[in-house]
Amino acid sequence: MSFSNRSRSVLPFKAMQMMAAANALEEAGRRVIHLEVGQPDFSAPECVRRKALEVVQAGRMGYSNAEGLPELREAIASFYQQRFGIEIPSRRVLITAGASGALALLIPLLTDPGEGWLLPDPGYPSYRHFVSAYGCEPQALRLRAENEFQPSSCQIEQHWKSNTRALVLASPSNPAGTQIDESLARDLIEVVRHRGGHVVADEIYQGVNPDGQPLPTTLSHANDAFIVNSFSKYFGMTGWRLGWMVVPESAVDPLIRLAQNLFICPSVVAQAAAVAAFSPEAIAEADARSTELNRKRALMINGLLDIGFDVPARPEGAFYVFARLPESMPNAEVFCQRALEEVGVAVTPGTDFGEYRTERYVRLSCAQPETLLLEAIERLRVLVE
Ligand SMILES: Cc1ncc(COP(=O)(O)O)c(C=O)c1O
């Protein structure tokens, strides 16, 4: 059977492949420490879980509107008001099946096949795979550790081609966890506006940054940007498959049309329960967990430095460490294979995140209990030494 060129251009998501290999080892009786996937080791806030049970018991599980339940859209709009002092009508908030669902709608909204997306390299792998799946062109912005793995406005000028239509910014970023400071964000957005392009700001790790200090959202300086967010990380709800977008008014109806056809609607149980995520109780729980993740990140960085890794761009948010391998170690893909097979530690090769100098990097997630993180460092020490 032959399949489309587009499907062939979509490469495997290596973190997911690594997880499958680690699961297979576990099924065969081995013990593995999982540092490969971006999944918090905590669950949804307690009041969200309680609410989900109530919703299921009440049997409220039909379709919702494609754009989501009005009460959840309103809760999110109020959250922007309370947290960032930004007034947005709830009409501009659209609920999606995770940040992934938002990307699956924004790419066909903003681009036709053959048009280009400027994407961070290293960056979240699925950006380029989504773009390819829609027949568009991923255009890599080669990011350097010395620039905190964030783009500069000159770079955007240089890489903007005649078919480029949009730029993805991610802050805190995945895999490096670095942030874009506000003045740089303004400059980048200005360059894109000048070119008549669109900015998609992936803010999925917002809230998972030092001392629970929420980063300013790109919305505060770019009302015309497309903001992507999710319940997966800050609220610890990866498997609930729920996220949201805040979009310019003119994009609301076209996005609803796409969402109606592509997804019908996001999970209604998850949506109804997620309203409780914005209660003061749940926010306090999520902030406390972020503080915990920050502590674990610091612990992981120290442990890795101690065994000969380098962390040239220190993460300020998210829950990863993007670490450079010691010189004595083989390239990332071989290293990850050996780490899994020889010492039972699953980590993701840097090459998952792009092609630019990524073969000497690995990404480790710190969202595991502290004892496991310390054990993982000791196991890696054995491999390195
Ligand atoms: C930067 C980034 N964007 C988007 C996603 C997709 O997240 P979800 O679909 O679970 O909301 C992830 C998941 O790890 C991510 O790291």
Side-chain angles (χ1 to χ4, degrees):
M1 229 182 268
S2 85
F3 298 109
S4 67
N5 290 334
R6 289 182 199 188
S7 73
R8 279 198 296 273
S9 70
V10 175
L11 301 175
F13 192 160
K14 291 180 185 166
M16 299 300 288
Q17 275 190 319
M18 193 51 76
M19 183 174 80
N23 290 344
L25 273 190
E26 280 178 323
E27 277 159 29
R30 285 275 306 276
R31 189 169 155 261
V32 177
I33 303 180
H34 288 269
L35 307 181
E36 75 284 30
V37 271
Q39 174 143 266
D41 62 327
F42 47 81
S43 173
E46 205 193 317
C47 57
V48 174
R49 284 180 277 149
R50 269 201 316 268
K51 183 78 185 171
L53 288 176
E54 275 170 34
V55 174
V56 172
Q57 263 157 4
R60 217 186 114 188
M61 281 174 285
Y63 292 134
S64 71
N65 287 346
E67 61 274 28
L69 293 176
E71 58 269 37
L72 183 57
R73 298 170 76 199
E74 271 153 31
I76 293 173
S78 315
F79 181 66
Y80 277 88
Q81 216 300 313
Q82 286 153 21
R83 192 102 160 169
F84 309 106
I86 298 175
E87 289 281 353
I88 36 163
S90 61
R91 187 179 141 69
R92 288 180 54 198
V93 178
L94 306 184
I95 312 300
T96 54
S100 309
L103 293 170
L105 293 168
L106 288 176
I107 297 166
L109 175 81
L110 300 176
T111 40
D112 284 312
E115 293 184 329
W117 282 75
L118 281 181
L119 304 173
D121 179 352
Y124 177 58
S126 302
Y127 296 145
R128 62 187 198 281
H129 300 152
F130 263 120
V131 164
S132 303
Y134 278 110
C136 298
E137 189 190 344
Q139 298 172 338
L141 278 172
R142 297 167 156 207
L143 307 181
R144 291 164 175 264
E146 52 273 32
N147 298 332
E148 311 293 322
F149 291 113
Q150 292 291 359
S152 66
S153 36
C154 291
Q155 244 183 331
I156 303 216
E157 292 279 13
Q158 279 162 8
H159 286 78
W160 197 275
K161 298 206 263 175
S162 57
N163 69 340
T164 308
R165 295 287 173 270
L167 162 74
V168 174
L169 296 177
S171 176
S173 65
N174 177 6
T178 54
Q179 301 180 358
I180 306 183
D181 73 47
E182 225 176 312
S183 75
L184 173 61
R186 282 177 201 277
D187 290 351
L188 300 176
I189 289 162
E190 220 24 71
V191 174
V192 175
R193 275 196 193 124
H194 186 68
R195 300 283 187 155
H198 305 284
V199 171
V200 171
D202 185 341
E203 301 189 344
I204 188 170
Y205 293 101
Q206 193 170 57
V208 190
N209 40 283
D211 307 321
Q213 286 299 312
L215 281 182
T217 161
T218 305
L219 255 193
S220 57
H221 40 265
N223 209 29
D224 53 348
F226 291 79
I227 311 295
V228 172
N229 211 320
S230 172
F231 288 87
S232 288
K233 312 293 175 168
Y234 171 67
F235 291 113
M237 293 170 61
T238 44
W240 297 60
R241 307 311 306 132
L242 202 63
W244 73 86
M245 298 184 263
V246 182
V247 303
E249 172 64 42
S250 59
V252 171
D253 288 334
L255 278 167
I256 291 177
R257 285 201 307 274
L258 280 169
Q260 287 168 340
N261 287 289
L262 264 61
F263 299 113
I264 298 190
C265 68
S267 156
V268 168
V269 179
Q271 290 191 67
V275 175
F278 298 98
S279 63
E281 180 192 343
I283 296 289
E285 199 176 326
D287 281 342
R289 287 158 162 185
S290 288
T291 307
E292 182 74 354
L293 285 173
N294 283 309
R295 213 176 43 73
K296 289 180 181 173
R297 188 173 349 88
L299 180 137
M300 177 71 102
I301 293 174
N302 289 339
L304 287 170
L305 293 177
D306 188 48
I307 61 172
F309 284 75
D310 187 17
V311 185
R314 294 296 160 93
E316 301 157 287
F319 40 77
Y320 309 112
V321 180
F322 195 49
R324 201 177 153 76
L325 291 166
E327 289 311 320
S328 60
M329 287 291 102
N331 281 346
E333 306 244 345
V334 178
F335 175 86
C336 291
Q337 209 55 46
R338 285 189 52 196
L340 180 63
E341 282 163 14
E342 294 176 28
V343 295
V345 179
V347 295
T348 301
T351 45
D352 203 14
F353 305 95
E355 290 177 354
Y356 185 57
R357 300 179 173 177
T358 50
E359 69 285 351
R360 297 297 307 162
Y361 282 86
V362 291
R363 188 197 72 177
L364 304 95
S365 164
C366 318
Q368 285 289 5
E370 194 173 316
T371 46
L372 279 188
L373 296 182
L374 292 172
E375 188 184 339
I377 297 285
E378 287 317 308
R379 288 182 180 209
L380 290 177
R381 185 194 298 279
V382 171
L383 189 67
V384 168
E385 284 174 1

